[in-house]
Amino acid sequence: MRTQEQTKSDADYEVILRCQKGDVDAFEGLVRKYEKKMFNISYRMTGDYNEASEVVQDAFVSVYKNI
């Protein structure tokens, strides 16, 4: 029996495969899914809204280039 977490991981894996094939909409979906969580973590680490936003943007640019 698959756990809910495994099912989520499988879904993310499928989206990543689509991204690797050039599906920009799939990447936008990843951004929408994770941007708030990443921002919250970045903001707690930096304590600055603008810096946290920049950290998240840089992270997604890096992911896009390396996916």
Side-chain angles (χ1 to χ4, degrees):
M1 176 181 243
R2 297 187 65 71
T3 66
Q4 186 177 11
E5 203 57 39
Q6 288 171 319
T7 302
K8 287 179 185 179
S9 294
D10 291 346
D12 284 347
Y13 181 73
E14 293 299 323
V15 172
I16 290 168
L17 290 176
R18 289 176 40 211
C19 292
Q20 289 174 334
K21 293 178 182 175
D23 186 341
V24 176
D25 292 332
F27 184 75
E28 289 177 10
L30 282 177
V31 171
R32 283 191 302 274
K33 183 174 180 178
Y34 290 105
E35 67 185 335
K36 287 180 184 178
K37 186 178 231 180
M38 289 175 61
F39 176 82
N40 289 336
I41 292 168
S42 298
Y43 184 74
R44 280 184 272 155
M45 292 175 70
T46 65
D48 181 86
Y49 180 90
N50 291 326
E51 190 172 345
S53 295
E54 189 172 326
V55 166
V56 172
Q57 182 177 1
D58 290 347
F60 278 120
V61 168
S62 181
V63 167
Y64 187 78
K65 287 179 178 179
N66 292 291
I67 204 163

